[in-house]
């Protein structure tokens, strides 16, 4: 049986939470391997709605869940999320949740810096969630980060704090802000340390033991390939690598452990915040997609921009992200359209492109080339087999497969957990 990595194949918000939750029933452990609490996953289970940011979706099913070393962890956000889910009846204990002890922390001054930069950027705003993700990753690669294991040694942090404050106090001064209050920071960390450390373990060791015993591991990514720091629409990207290869480095397992890579893509396209979006529909059709799809960010509540499915971008995501198969979500949102469109290429200054260029000016200038297909007026909502789908919906899905050069393995037909069509079992490959 293969292990499975789930990643977003668009700009995030593709419905990864539901798919991870659905697959978690078949997994022995679920691992979150990158990002922070800028991620948002909404699960609908009967009459209950669960909103997660840091915790892997498997936690709701009771599947042992791991926050890997590739994540940047806000300890106070973690505590709030755990308490909220416990209030909804979810059991979260050190037996069901493990946190890598070498995981880097997001601290209050990271949030401060994130907001100060955005406010000072004017028209150049990236559109971050202002939760300190980028500054925390900067400190991680700059070898200044305070990590989970440091919470057990708070009296020995002086040299680490010297490096942190030398960097951040200069930045804060440039924004007219006071220096970091080191004593107050230590007290805040002391107050939260016991909670975080109760879940801390050498996760790499536990996961390697699980793999050696033949346990099925489900790797859960955040955001999407089009937001990856290397291949995304820079500078409107996240601060981590969202591709499947990161599952290895962000969990402490080697690359051979990853197995089947399931890319999640909506049957149309959405984006939150700033940045290029070739198929964006700033008209009645875009509004209709947004209303029917309830397109508001789980984390920020911001309205998502909506447009037709872009096969060029998803094909590119499949290539750079190492995607084996696609889970196509929200097909039910397209019910009732007389016609549906798929972007099959771009025009750029008289030239036709079959890829998305790297430069921001070119990305902003491309014009989509559309293929139009008949829509369907029958309902796909709640379908759980191919036989339940209208013929035109099946033709739409098959055409997407052809254009992105990647098979569809799953189809999601509503937010409900069981409204899923299994075409190809990722764990069986």
């Amino acid at each position: 049986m293969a292990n499975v990595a789930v990643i977003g194949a668009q700009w995030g918000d593709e419905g990864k939470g539901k798919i991870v939750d659905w697959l978690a029933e078949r997994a022995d452990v679920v691992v979150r391997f990158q990002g922070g609490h800028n991620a948002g996953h909404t699960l609908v289970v009967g009459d209950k709605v669960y909103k997660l940011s840091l915790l892997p979706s498997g936690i709701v099913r009771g599947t042992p869940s791991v926050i890997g070393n590739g994540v940047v962890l806000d300890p106070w956000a973690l505590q709030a999320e755990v308490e909220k889910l416990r209030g909804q009846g979810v059991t979260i204990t050190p037996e069901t949740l493990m946190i890598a002890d070498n995981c880097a922390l997001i601290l209050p001054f990271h949030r401060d810096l994130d907001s100060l930069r955005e406010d000072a950027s004017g028209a150049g705003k990236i559109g971050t969630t202002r939760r300190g993700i980028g500054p925390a990753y900067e400190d991680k690669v700059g070898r200044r980060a305070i990590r989970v294991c440091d919470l057990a040694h708070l009296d020995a942090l002086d040299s680490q704090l010297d490096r942190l404050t030398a960097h951040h106090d200069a930045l804060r001064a440039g924004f007219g802000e006071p220096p970091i209050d080191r004593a107050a920071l230590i007290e805040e960390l002391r107050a939260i340390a016991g909670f975080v450390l109760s879940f801390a373990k050498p996760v790499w060791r536990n996961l390697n033991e699980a793999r050696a015993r033949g346990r099925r591991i489900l790797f859960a990514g955040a955001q999407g390939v089009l937001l990856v720091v290397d291949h995304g629409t820079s500078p409107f990207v996240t601060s981590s690598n969202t591709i499947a290869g990161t599952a290895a480095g962000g969990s402490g397992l080697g690359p051979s452990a990853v197995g089947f890579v399931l890319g999640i893509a909506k049957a149309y396209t959405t984006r939150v915040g700033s940045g290029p979006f070739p198929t964006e529909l700033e008209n009645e059709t875009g509004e209709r997609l947004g209303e029917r799809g309830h397109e508001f960010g789980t984390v920020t509540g911001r309205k998502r921009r909506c447009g037709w499915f872009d096969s060029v971008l998803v094909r590119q995501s499949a290539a750079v992200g190492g995607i084996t198969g696609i889970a196509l979500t929200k097909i039910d949102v397209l019910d009732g359209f007389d016609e549906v469109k798929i972007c099959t290429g771009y025009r750029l200054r008289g030239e036709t492109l079959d890829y998305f260029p790297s430069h921001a000016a070119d990305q902003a200038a491309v014009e989509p080339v559309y293929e139009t297909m008949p829509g369907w007026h029958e309902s796909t909502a709640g379908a759980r087999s191919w036989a339940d789908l209208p013929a035109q919906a099946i033709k739409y899905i098959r055409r997407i497969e052809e254009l992105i050069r990647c098979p569809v393995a799953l189809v999601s037909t509503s937010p409900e957990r069981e409204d899923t069509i299994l075409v190809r079992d990722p764990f069986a490959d």
Side-chain angles (χ1 to χ4, degrees):
M1 301 291 281
N3 296 325
V4 177
V6 172
I7 62 173
Q10 294 162 315
W11 278 296
D13 307 309
E14 303 96 347
K16 293 183 293 297
K18 173 194 166 170
I19 300 300
V20 170
D21 168 66
W22 191 85
L23 289 169
E25 185 179 31
R26 310 159 75 87
D28 297 303
V29 59
V30 181
V31 185
R32 172 78 185 278
F33 59 84
Q34 49 76 220
H37 64 309
N38 54 339
H41 303 298
T42 300
L43 309 182
V44 179
V45 184
D47 60 353
K48 286 192 174 183
V49 178
Y50 303 93
K51 293 183 181 292
L52 296 83
S53 292
L54 265 171
L55 297 173
S57 301
I59 199 78
V60 174
R61 280 196 185 267
T63 306
S65 297
V66 171
I67 295 176
N69 57 275
V71 174
V72 284
L73 180 77
D74 183 319
W76 300 276
L78 173 71
Q79 185 177 48
E81 191 170 324
V82 166
E83 290 176 352
K84 181 180 178 181
L85 286 178
R86 282 174 172 168
Q88 291 184 279
V90 178
T91 300
I92 301 176
T93 68
E95 285 68 48
T96 60
L97 176 65
M98 292 185 289
I99 299 173
D101 57 4
N102 54 344
C103 195
L105 298 179
I106 299 174
L107 301 172
F109 53 81
H110 292 131
R111 297 193 296 270
D112 293 344
L113 182 57
D114 206 352
S115 293
L116 289 166
R117 284 173 170 169
E118 280 288 274
D119 290 340
S121 295
K125 285 182 181 178
I126 293 172
T128 77
T129 57
R130 298 172 179 255
R131 298 194 167 198
I133 312 298
Y137 272 117
E138 290 175 39
D139 280 348
K140 178 177 178 176
V141 299
R143 295 163 292 185
R144 297 180 293 268
I146 293 175
R147 302 184 297 169
V148 167
C149 56
D150 292 320
L151 295 175
H153 303 275
L154 291 175
D155 293 330
L157 274 186
D158 282 347
S159 61
Q160 196 75 348
L161 286 173
D162 287 343
R163 287 193 292 273
L164 271 170
T165 55
H167 178 77
H168 281 273
D169 285 351
L171 293 173
R172 292 170 68 88
F175 286 109
E177 295 293 314
I180 294 169
D181 186 333
R182 291 171 59 145
L185 174 63
I186 289 294
E187 288 310 306
E188 287 185 88
L189 291 173
R190 203 178 298 280
I192 198 75
F195 173 80
V196 177
L197 288 172
S198 68
F199 301 104
K201 289 184 175 65
V203 158
W204 66 269
R205 182 174 178 271
N206 295 70
L207 289 176
N208 275 278
E209 287 178 352
R211 187 187 178 203
R213 294 196 303 270
R215 300 293 188 260
R216 285 173 292 190
I217 301 171
L218 177 60
F219 301 95
Q223 290 88 39
V225 174
L226 301 178
L227 291 172
V228 69
V229 68
D230 288 317
H231 298 287
T233 52
S234 186
F236 306 103
V237 293
T238 194
S239 298
S240 61
N241 267 292
T242 61
I243 59 174
T246 310
S251 63
L253 286 165
S256 61
V258 174
F260 191 102
V261 180
L262 184 66
I264 317 300
K266 281 178 183 167
Y268 51 101
T269 312
T270 64
R271 180 165 197 170
V272 171
S274 306
F277 185 170
T279 66
E280 183 174 11
L281 298 170
E282 298 180 274
N283 56 21
E284 184 179 332
T285 301
E287 289 292 325
R288 183 179 175 185
L289 288 170
E291 289 170 7
R292 295 203 59 187
H294 306 290
E295 297 296 352
F296 295 90
T298 301
V299 170
T300 63
R302 289 182 292 182
K303 185 177 180 180
R304 296 178 186 138
R305 302 152 63 192
C306 298
W308 294 120
F309 187 87
D310 191 329
S311 69
V312 182
L313 288 177
V314 178
R315 183 170 64 242
Q316 200 158 316
S317 291
V320 302
I323 293 172
T324 314
I326 290 287
L328 195 68
T329 65
K330 291 197 167 185
I331 189 73
D332 53 302
V333 173
L334 297 181
D335 293 352
F337 280 87
D338 293 328
E339 61 181 30
V340 290
K341 296 184 178 183
I342 302 174
C343 174
T344 60
Y346 305 125
R347 291 191 186 92
L348 177 62
R349 304 183 190 98
E351 183 182 358
T352 300
L353 301 181
D354 63 354
Y355 67 95
F356 199 45
S358 296
H359 197 277
D362 293 336
Q363 291 175 346
V366 297
E367 297 177 2
V369 176
Y370 286 118
E371 177 178 306
T372 302
M373 299 181 66
W376 55 91
H377 290 275
E378 307 94 323
S379 175
T380 64
R384 298 183 182 181
S385 73
W386 280 117
D388 297 331
L389 293 177
Q392 284 304 141
I394 294 174
K395 288 179 182 178
Y396 179 74
I397 294 168
R398 293 305 190 199
R399 183 58 178 147
I400 284 175
E401 287 183 311
E402 292 173 359
L403 290 167
I404 66 174
R405 301 170 192 162
C406 190
V408 169
L410 292 159
V411 180
S412 173
T413 59
S414 93
E416 289 284 347
R417 173 185 278 172
E418 300 305 327
D419 291 343
T420 306
I421 300 170
L422 177 63
V423 183
R424 177 183 178 186
D425 185 355
F427 280 118
D429 279 67

